[in-house]
Every structure is written in C-alpha cells, then in structure tokens.
Amino acid sequence: MASSDLRLELNCSICMNIYRDPVTLRCGHNFCRVCIDGVLDTQDGDGLYACPECRATFRKWPPLQRNTTLHNVAEHFLSTQSHQEERIGIFCTYCIHPPVPAVKSCLLCEASLCDKHLRSHSKSPEHVLTEPSNSLETWKCSVHKKILEYYCTEDAACICVSCSLAGEHRGHRVELLNEASEKKKEKLRNVLQKLIKKRKKTKERVRSLEKRRRKAQEKASGEAKRLTALCTDIRRRVDDLEKKVLSEISRQEKEESLSLSALIHQLEIKKDELSRKMRHIEELCNMMDPLTVLQEPDTGDLCDPEEEEGDEDTGGHGRGYRCAELISHISHTLSAMIDINVIFYVQDPTDILLDLNTAGNNLLISDDLKTATRTEITENRPETAERFQNNQVMSRRGFTSGRHYWDVEIRGSWVWRVGMCYPSIDRRGDQSYIGYNNKSWGLYKERVYNNQCSVIHDSKEIRLRDQISSDGVRIYLDYEAGQLSFYDLCDPIRHLHTFTAAFTEPLHAVLHVINGSIKISGGAAGGKTERI
C-alpha cells in the first residue's frame, strides 16, 4: 500500500489527523480518544449517544475499547514519517560527487550510508545501524565513547556497557534501552488515562457550574424585573396617595380658612364694639357734671364678662392635628408596606408545619400538617404536658433570629386567633389562650365585632380601627428588632398593627380555631432559623 493511501486509512474522521490513542466503538468505527470524548460530551443532554460515522445510537455512554493494533500501526507510521523527514538533507558520508541521500547511519563508524555503501558495510553486531541522523554523538557515552545500550534504573540515566561493568554504574540494575522505553511509555499511557478522566470530570464540573451560573443569572434577571415592577407599583401608589393626601390637606385648609375667616369677622365686629364702649366710658370719665355720670347705666353692663373667658380661636387646631395624624399614619403604613413587599418579592417561601403533639383534642390536623380544623369528634390523643387543653396548636419550628413571615388562610371561621408564642406558654386554663398572658401576641376576631378584629398581649386588648377585608392574614417577625406585625392580605397588602418587645425565647406560630379551619404557610425573609 502506498504511503499516502496508508495515511488516509490512519486518519481520524473527526480531527482528520493520524490517530492518537485510538479507541473503537461497538459499531466498529475508530477515533482518537480525545476526539470521541469531545463529541460524546456535546451529546450529554440529549439522553442518547451516536457514532459520528454511522450514527449508530447508544442509550448510555458507550464503552471505548483501546485499539492496540491500530495504535502501534499509527505510531510506526508516524515514526517512519518523522525519520523520512529527518533524512532530508542527510547524505551518504562516502558519496561526495554527487551527494546521495543516506538510508542508514552506523553508530560505531559515526557515518551515514547510502544503499550501495550499506550493502558493503560490515554486518558485525558492534556496528549498530539506525535511521539517518546528523547527531550521532548523542547516541554515545560521553566518558567511554561507546554506544548507549542500557538504562540505569537507579540513576535514571542512559549508559554504555563500560559504564555498567566498570564505571560509576557498576552493580546497578540496568535494562535495555528499548525495554526501559516501553515501560516508560506504558507509565505515560496510564498517566494519560488518568489525565483524560480528570479532564472529563473537570469538564463535567465546568458544565455544572455554567448551568448553575445560567440559573443564577436567570433568577437575578427575574428578581430584577419583579423588583422593578414592585418599585413602579410603589411609585404609582405613592403618587396616588400623594394626590389624595394633598387634596385632603387642601380641603381641610379651605375648611379651616373659611372657619377662621368667619371667626376673624366676628372678632373684628366685637373689637369695634369694644372700641365704641371704651370711647363712651372715656367720655363719661372726662365729664364734669356728676348728674350726667350717675344717670348713665351701670358701667358693669358695658363689658360682657361672660365673653372674656376663652375666645373661639382654637377651632383649627383639631383639624390640623387630624391632618398631621393622617400623614404620620400614611408614612408608617407606606414604610411598612415597602419593607414587607420587598422582602416578599425577593425571598422564596419555606414550609411551616404544625406540631401534632401540641394540638388540642378537638382539632383535626391535616396530613400535610398545614391545616387545623375544629371538629366535634374528640381525637384520642395522649395527654402530655405540651398538649393544649383548648383548641390551639403550635408550629414545630421556632425562630430565634432573623426576619420571617407566614400567611394564614381563614376558611369558614367566625371566631379565630392567630399569632406567636413562647414554648413556655401554659397549656391549660384561661391563661393558655393566645394573648391572655405575657408569653404570646395575637390577632383575633369574634362574631360580636362583625369583621372588626383586635390585637392582644398580656390580656391588654387594642381594637383595630379598620375591618379585615380578606380571608387571609400575614404575620411578620423581625426577631432582632423586637417587632411582630400583622397585615391584611388585601390588594394592596395593608398593615394592621405592630407589637414591639424584647424577645427572650424562641417564637412559634400558634393558631386557635373555634369553628371552620385555618391553613398556615410561611417563609423566611433572611437570617438564621432554628428548629427547637
């Protein structure tokens, strides 16, 4: 077979170069190991792998069988090619006119030979023939000037026979150069296999990290869009709120201005009347005729003492106070709304589960531990120190730091309580109810108040001014700040009340159901959460 034809047979169909560490697929086609690894890597996400040559498919990563025969043929071909290239410009030592290309070099004679001189050259073993080379001195020992035939394994050096028998390597373990070379090649192949596996794992790690990076970028992009939408919505609400408040301020200012104008007019009239009386009294004081002075009405009638106390000049203060109070309330509500909405938009929710071991015997707890339902059938649960005797249940999870929020959905219940409590709360008696002790804070609704609710702590009740307009309530805890807030889950979310306290124990969500059911779900807005 011609050299060019052989080269075509030894070309990898992927890289179009001579095979390097060739492997064979089950379909029989051969490729460089590095090349087929790269192709199969790109098919990772499809679930199927295919041969680039015949498109045969494999459901799993196909085994790559090393083709030793093809590997040896390719190496021999590459070696022959390199020697042929080296021979260009190397001529026979004995052919001068004209120069003839050399086919072999003799290490003993240190001469290159053409075909003609090679036939007449000595065939004795000491005349070692190699491929044509211009650097024959590298094949000889620098000390003994003999051919390097052995490899000293102890000193890792190529040596001649004299070095081994009488030189500095005497008594050392030696091997033939070809044998030592093959052993080293085998070690290098093993190292290459390990490096290939390492590179494959590294590539898989890179793909995994790139996938995570893409997800992080997508998530950040989504959060940025949501935050932009939130800020746009807040700006719109602030603008609307500003217009309403400015309109109310303008209305109150006009009302107060009209009231004050009327009062000023009345006072001006009174001032003129007082001036007239003062002039009349001064005239009487200046009269010389006692009869005239005494005939005038009693001077006590000229000033009205009942009018001297408290002119009506404070009518506007009440309206001004109501306006300032309105602005203060709006500021607080808007600040809380912005803070809580940013947290809700940015953070992902996590589950809050109810603790069945604390549930009263007239509460039915759902299988997913999220819903508490009042039932007339008494559950046969064991009496324990941690179980409530009333219709209450606590969450499994307690919070000792961070900011957290959760929602409760009210279903068909007209009497309910929700809030937070310490795990040391009493489980029996009236003092165990949410808010009727100093270890719990609650929001509750009873039928007598219609849709109005109250907040309560340490038996101190505060009736809320506004009604709850939805079937859901959000509870927000900032443990370090000592704040526990309640929100109406209407659109937009509305702040109801905030308790302030120095928390000293873990806080658990707690529910009290008289009828219907309450479902709880929640999320952590950042910070450390501990399971108690």
Side-chain angles (χ1 to χ4, degrees):
M1 183 182 291
S3 176
S4 59
D5 294 336
L6 179 60
R7 184 182 185 91
L8 289 175
E9 291 295 325
L10 295 176
N11 275 354
C12 170
S13 61
I14 297 176
C15 65
M16 303 308 293
N17 290 320
I18 302 297
Y19 289 118
R20 295 286 185 182
D21 190 18
V23 293
T24 306
L25 294 179
R26 284 202 299 264
C27 58
H29 290 105
N30 300 298
F31 306 95
C32 299
R33 184 182 293 275
V34 173
C35 296
I36 191 63
D37 275 344
V39 171
L40 294 176
D41 277 346
T42 62
Q43 301 173 356
D44 237 357
D46 301 333
L48 289 175
Y49 301 93
C51 170
E53 193 82 23
C54 65
R55 310 309 298 171
T57 57
F58 313 96
R59 292 196 175 276
K60 295 181 179 179
W61 187 286
L64 304 177
Q65 186 66 39
R66 189 168 186 265
N67 193 327
T68 307
T69 303
L70 188 58
H71 171 78
N72 293 337
V73 173
E75 280 211 340
H76 178 72
F77 180 80
L78 287 172
S79 176
T80 304
Q81 289 294 101
S82 62
H83 288 323
Q84 287 177 352
E85 291 172 1
E86 286 178 5
R87 281 204 302 267
I88 298 174
I90 301 176
F91 300 99
C92 178
T93 306
Y94 306 106
C95 296
I96 302 175
H97 301 292
V100 178
V103 293
K104 292 290 181 180
S105 293
C106 177
L107 298 179
L108 181 63
C109 303
E110 295 187 6
S112 297
L113 309 169
C114 63
D115 281 330
K116 178 182 175 182
H117 288 97
L118 182 61
R119 285 194 293 271
S120 60
H121 190 72
S122 173
K123 301 298 188 293
S124 58
E126 64 269 17
H127 289 271
V128 180
L129 298 176
T130 66
E131 297 300 320
S133 174
N134 285 326
S135 55
L136 297 176
E137 64 277 1
T138 60
W139 283 83
K140 287 191 175 184
C141 174
S142 59
V143 178
H144 304 101
K145 305 303 179 184
K146 291 184 178 181
I147 299 172
L148 300 174
E149 301 177 80
Y150 303 99
Y151 179 75
C152 176
T153 58
E154 295 184 21
D155 298 328
C158 298
I159 61 175
C160 67
V161 65
S162 296
C163 292
S164 175
L165 296 176
E168 60 182 6
H169 300 281
R170 181 174 58 185
H172 292 183
R173 183 182 173 184
V174 298
E175 296 176 349
L176 292 174
L177 283 182
N178 288 339
E179 292 177 359
S181 175
E182 286 302 318
K183 287 182 179 180
K184 187 168 183 178
K185 286 181 180 178
E186 189 60 32
K187 288 182 180 179
L188 291 174
R189 291 188 192 103
N190 292 335
V191 172
L192 180 62
Q193 292 302 316
K194 291 179 181 178
L195 293 176
I196 289 172
K197 291 179 180 178
K198 235 177 180 180
R199 188 187 67 170
K200 182 180 177 181
K201 289 182 180 178
T202 304
K203 287 173 69 176
E204 290 173 354
R205 179 65 175 159
V206 168
R207 283 200 303 272
S208 174
L209 292 175
E210 286 177 344
K211 187 176 180 181
R212 284 177 58 187
R213 182 178 64 181
R214 286 195 299 271
K215 286 184 177 180
Q217 290 173 343
E218 290 171 0
K219 183 177 180 181
S221 177
E223 296 296 348
K225 290 179 181 178
R226 292 168 65 189
L227 184 60
T228 300
L230 171 66
C231 292
T232 301
D233 184 52
I234 289 175
R235 281 193 290 268
R236 178 184 59 78
R237 295 182 189 182
V238 170
D239 289 342
D240 292 344
L241 195 57
E242 181 186 13
K243 291 177 183 177
K244 290 179 181 179
V245 175
L246 288 175
S247 175
E248 177 64 18
I249 291 173
S250 177
R251 186 191 66 77
Q252 290 187 19
E253 185 271 333
K254 288 179 180 178
E255 180 182 329
E256 189 168 359
S257 179
L258 289 173
S259 175
L260 292 174
S261 296
L263 183 60
I264 290 171
H265 179 67
Q266 293 174 8
L267 293 175
E268 289 289 346
I269 294 174
K270 184 179 291 186
K271 185 185 73 171
D272 292 341
E273 179 64 19
L274 291 172
S275 297
R276 184 187 64 77
K277 290 181 179 180
M278 287 171 62
R279 287 194 299 271
H280 181 64
I281 290 173
E282 287 176 352
E283 289 175 358
L284 289 175
C285 291
N286 293 327
M287 281 186 178
M288 302 302 294
D289 182 5
L291 183 62
T292 304
V293 173
L294 293 173
Q295 286 179 346
E296 281 293 324
D298 192 355
T299 54
D301 296 337
L302 295 178
C303 67
D304 302 316
E306 68 275 6
E307 294 182 5
E308 291 178 0
E309 297 294 332
D311 294 330
E312 296 180 3
D313 57 354
T314 59
H317 293 306
R319 287 186 290 271
Y321 172 75
R322 289 195 300 273
C323 185
E325 184 184 44
L326 176 63
I327 294 174
S328 177
H329 174 72
I330 289 170
S331 175
H332 178 269
T333 303
L334 186 61
S335 175
M337 181 191 72
I338 292 173
D339 181 44
I340 198 72
N341 272 289
V342 168
I343 293 169
F344 298 157
Y345 265 84
V346 173
Q347 299 298 330
D348 295 325
T350 56
D351 285 338
I352 287 184
L353 303 179
L354 299 176
D355 187 355
L356 190 60
N357 294 326
T358 66
N361 277 320
N362 286 106
L363 284 184
L364 178 64
I365 307 301
S366 61
D367 292 338
D368 62 0
L369 302 178
K370 292 179 178 296
T371 305
T373 304
R374 175 70 162 85
T375 176
E376 296 301 327
I377 302 173
T378 302
E379 299 291 325
N380 188 20
R381 299 188 182 111
E383 284 288 336
T384 61
E386 58 184 338
R387 188 176 307 285
F388 285 106
Q389 284 190 337
N390 55 35
N391 301 323
Q392 287 186 178
V393 61
M394 284 169 48
S395 67
R396 285 182 176 180
R397 176 175 291 181
F399 301 95
T400 59
S401 64
R403 298 186 297 176
H404 313 272
Y405 72 89
W406 51 94
D407 299 339
V408 290
E409 180 184 353
I410 317 299
R411 298 176 177 177
S413 179
W414 39 263
V415 179
W416 50 264
R417 302 169 190 260
V418 297
M420 300 208 75
C421 69
Y422 291 151
S424 60
I425 186 175
D426 289 335
R427 309 302 168 99
R428 292 165 176 77
D430 292 343
Q431 67 273 17
S432 65
Y433 287 96
I434 303 172
Y436 283 87
N437 49 72
N438 61 359
K439 297 183 178 181
S440 62
W441 296 258
L443 169 71
Y444 76 91
K445 172 186 173 184
E446 295 188 16
R447 178 168 55 183
V448 68
Y449 296 140
N450 295 324
N451 284 331
Q452 282 194 315
C453 290
S454 299
V455 290
I456 187 170
H457 169 67
D458 201 13
S459 299
K460 297 180 180 65
E461 178 185 348
I462 301 174
R463 182 77 60 83
L464 298 180
R465 181 178 58 183
D466 300 320
Q467 296 180 349
I468 292 181
S469 58
S470 69
D471 293 327
V473 175
R474 178 160 291 173
I475 305 171
Y476 171 65
L477 169 67
D478 189 337
Y479 195 95
E480 282 81 4
Q483 292 184 343
L484 177 63
S485 302
F486 296 91
Y487 293 83
D488 182 5
L489 286 179
C490 53
D491 186 19
I493 188 171
R494 184 166 55 86
H495 175 258
L496 297 173
H497 184 78
T498 295
F499 285 110
T500 301
F503 301 126
T504 58
E505 296 183 39
L507 283 170
H508 293 252
V510 59
L511 311 176
H512 181 99
V513 188
I514 294 297
N515 69 314
S517 64
I518 296 180
K519 181 178 180 180
I520 187 169
S521 62
K528 181 181 178 183
T529 304
E530 296 181 358
R531 184 180 296 278
I532 305 302

